[in-house]
Amino acid sequence: DANSGEELYTFTEPQMQQTHADRVTDVEFSPDGGRLATTGNDGTIKVWDVKTRALLLRLTKKFSAKKDRLDFDTVLAFSPDGKKLASAGSEGMIQIWDAATGDPSYEWEAHTGPISGILYMEDGLSLITSSLDKTTRIWDVKTKGEKLSFPNGLLRDVVVSEGTLSASLVHPREVFKPAILESAASLILLHNHPSGDPAPSGQDREV
């Protein structure tokens, strides 16, 4: 229980006989909390029913065609609608699976080094990945094309403006001055909504 810290249950026999044969590297709940995906160095992904602890799916990674060895999964991410499961691993590959049937949809080579993090963006159409090759990249899930890459890392994190409950004033000079002083190649602008609703407003789109 995330609020109390109380242990609700654990996987015991016969579930333990179906768990991973090697180190587990990541676990991921589905958006509705009903399923739990696990992956490890045994080259498998397993999807479990949270209430019954029953094994629903067992997905097996194939050998890398380019490198002739198993691409161990290290990280997982469910799509926001829970219909897709993305996995990424030691060979820098991303693979998309049908989360209901376990069928592989498609895969592509995303990084030159192991992928250490993967996350679906809220629209479900983009993935963001981080890798030991020292890059962070955003991908179009449908085309497998790279939308954005951050090869040089973060230079500075700057608070440009602190707004009120319903508005925030910001001028372009405050936005671009820190980037120019740092000789930055690019910048990303972020802001929060006090309401907690992350959907962009009309004013957001205008800016």
Side-chain angles (χ1 to χ4, degrees), residues 9-10 19 37 85 93 112 114 116 125 132 162 198 206:
Y9 48 77
T10 186
T19 55
L85 180 64
M93 303 288 294
T112 59
S116 55
L125 302 176
L132 298 186
E162 293 186 5
E206 290 177 3

Side-chain angles (χ1 to χ4, degrees), residues 67 69 89-93 109-115 131-135 137 139:
K67 302 180 181 180
R69 61 175 181 266
S90 57
E91 300 301 329
M93 303 288 294
E109 187 169 355
H111 291 271
T112 59
I115 295 175
S131 168
L132 298 186
D133 65 8
K134 301 181 180 180
T135 64
R137 295 174 177 173
W139 303 91

Side-chain angles (χ1 to χ4, degrees), residues 17-32:
Q17 297 176 358
Q18 299 174 318
T19 55
H20 295 274
D22 203 335
R23 181 168 60 97
V24 175
T25 57
D26 196 20
V27 296
E28 180 78 10
F29 278 103
S30 62
D32 63 4

Side-chain angles (χ1 to χ4, degrees), residues 137-156:
R137 295 174 177 173
I138 298 177
W139 303 91
D140 185 299
V141 175
K142 290 185 176 180
T143 67
K144 299 177 282 186
E146 184 179 315
K147 288 184 172 181
L148 196 60
S149 178
F150 315 100
N152 299 316
L154 182 66
L155 295 175
R156 282 185 65 191

